[in-house]
Amino acid sequence: MTDAPHSFELLAGAGRSPVILHVPHSAREIPDDVRAGIVLGDEELERELGHITDAHTAEIAERAAGLAGVTPWRFVNRLSRLVVDPERFPDEREEMRAVGMGAVYTRTTHGDVLRPEGIDPEPLVERYFRPYARAMTRAVADRLAATGRAVIIDVHSYPSRRLPYELHGDGPRPAVCLGTDPFHTSPRLLDAAREAFGDAGLDSPFSGTYVPLEFYGKRSEVSALMVEIRRDTYMTEPGGPAGAGLERLAGALARLVDAVSR
């Protein structure tokens, strides 16, 4: 199977940078043939995209990269997570399957039908999910080869009010939530993020972070942190324009990049 570079993009940073800003959920684009398998009407789909898309996170990462002293690499998903969600397990390990949100979603953020029951997710997984995973694995391997380490900073956003699909949304909803992994999130990385963002909570309402499976739990030289930004701090919800908070957050992200690039 040939990888599908149109669905994601690796944007080069400095050769000496270990950092990859990973932006998996910022896009709204859905190819026509994939759209045909979604049962929502156009207005319903636009509304769902407003709720599910981490709007403007690609722009936050882009501006942070421009501000950083050592330019990080950026791996950006160019398709909506309603095509496939590259951060889900594609099998029974994925807990979000309980609400119809495995690698291929069958339910919306509010529990409505997105795709017909019984659809086979494999064609979408083969076409989009696996090429993405392979490319991200290569990107991390390249940073390891070039610098001896890799730092994945997973750039997300989340709504100020809990949506029905959230399995663990009854806890705090801080301005910035830092999602961690016990193996891959080092104390140094976590301390740097807290210093950069200031008002940051830990693992609530979302926890964990993305590491390609080839390295997950095996290579401590691969460190990772998820940065979940509450949307009302930088944009109009749901799915509206960005505001002044975007520049401040880009600056904070750049400070984090600089701190872990040394």
Side-chain angles (χ1 to χ4, degrees), residues 144-177:
L144 284 171
T147 72
R149 62 193 180 103
V151 183
I152 304 167
I153 301 176
D154 216 13
V155 185
H156 291 257
S157 71
Y158 76 100
S160 58
R161 295 189 178 187
R162 180 179 184 174
L163 291 175
Y165 82 95
E166 296 179 27
L167 294 179
H168 310 290
D170 52 356
R173 303 181 83 84
V176 174
C177 161

Side-chain angles (χ1 to χ4, degrees), residues 27-28 43-55 80 82 109-110 157 159 163 231 235-240:
R28 296 172 70 100
E43 288 187 12
E44 295 171 307
L45 179 57
E46 283 300 304
R47 187 161 53 248
E48 179 62 13
L49 285 168
H51 288 301
I52 200 65
T53 303
D54 293 354
S80 169
L82 296 184
T109 51
H110 290 72
S157 71
L163 291 175
R231 291 175 190 158
M235 62 173 284
T236 302
E237 298 180 89

